[in-house]
Amino acid sequence: RASLGGDSELLVLHEVPGARPAPRNTGLFHFALLVPERRDLAAWLAHAIREQVPMTGVSDHFVSEALYLRDPDGHGIEIYADRPRELWEGQVGPLQELLSGLSAPGGVFVVPGNVDDPVLLRQAVEGSGATYLENEIVTTSVRGHDVTIGGIEFFYAREAPERMIRELEALPEDADDLRILLAHHPDAVTALAPGSRVDLVAAGHSH
């Protein structure tokens, strides 16, 4: 048992005796610790450098900035600070400009991630000419072949995304068609049925 916090426990992890590490599988992806301000994040980074704490990554989420590391058991840890809302709320211009520069034969498609403001992201996507998908299915054409794309929200195990995945899998067969599932989290592949008709799962951050 490991706990984090003083008088009030923030997080408690219980070890299962004999459990073997199972990286890149379902379970605890990572836990996140919010610090009050950017200077607190900088202070923690200075501490990590001083103590030679191994880091696994850094990220600018637009609405926040984050540092990543792992504990001895391999659990991901995110330490982050939010940016003041007035710095990003309603600021769709930079993201819209970025998306406007993307092109693909069948079109550009975007799904929401775990740190996205859904209203902000949808505004930016729709203003760029790309297509925003949240538990929706669309069909496009590439070189004369149909490509059916389903895009789901971050929480892939909820009823709405699971229903959309079943719909994508159940579409009528066509020898030349291609079916793609877009998701933020790679574990969305575990929601597919055995022998699923989905040909490709593409997952990644939108930031």
Side-chain angles (χ1 to χ4, degrees), residues 143-166:
R143 297 177 183 175
H145 298 281
D146 286 339
V147 179
T148 303
I149 301 172
I152 59 173
E153 62 181 276
F154 170 68
F155 297 102
Y156 61 89
R158 287 179 173 174
E159 180 180 353
E162 285 192 339
R163 182 171 59 247
M164 193 231 71
I165 291 173
R166 299 288 86 82

Side-chain angles (χ1 to χ4, degrees), residues 16-183:
V16 177
R20 292 162 44 181
R24 310 306 301 170
N25 283 276
T26 54
L28 177 63
F29 181 58
H30 71 241
F31 59 86
L33 303 172
L34 173 65
V35 297
E37 297 182 8
R38 194 173 193 239
R39 62 184 178 185
D40 299 300
L41 187 65
W44 193 91
L45 178 58
H47 160 76
I49 294 172
R50 184 172 58 252
E51 300 297 326
Q52 298 184 331
V53 177
M55 305 291 294
T56 60
V58 299
S59 187
D60 184 341
H61 297 307
F62 190 58
V63 298
S64 66
E65 296 171 292
L67 308 172
Y68 296 93
L69 64 153
R70 292 192 178 278
D71 72 6
D73 287 325
H75 299 122
I77 302 172
E78 175 183 356
I79 300 175
Y80 74 105
D82 284 333
R83 280 199 172 99
R85 180 173 285 271
E86 61 269 16
L87 294 182
W88 56 264
E89 188 171 40
Q91 304 298 312
V92 301
L95 179 56
Q96 188 168 298
E97 182 179 355
L98 175 65
L99 291 171
S100 297
L102 301 178
S103 64
V108 176
F109 301 88
V110 179
V111 295
N114 62 323
V115 299
D116 294 317
D117 180 312
V119 175
L120 181 72
L121 182 62
R122 183 182 288 274
Q123 288 176 351
V125 171
E126 293 178 348
S128 71
T131 301
Y132 181 86
L133 298 177
E134 185 171 0
N135 305 321
E136 300 169 81
I137 298 174
V138 298
T139 298
T140 184
S141 180
V142 178
R143 297 177 183 175
H145 298 281
D146 286 339
V147 179
T148 303
I149 301 172
I152 59 173
E153 62 181 276
F154 170 68
F155 297 102
Y156 61 89
R158 287 179 173 174
E159 180 180 353
E162 285 192 339
R163 182 171 59 247
M164 193 231 71
I165 291 173
R166 299 288 86 82
E167 292 175 2
L168 182 63
E169 292 175 319
L171 291 173
E173 284 283 339
D174 187 312
D176 293 328
D177 77 336
L178 179 69
R179 303 181 193 188
I180 300 173
L181 175 64
L182 299 183

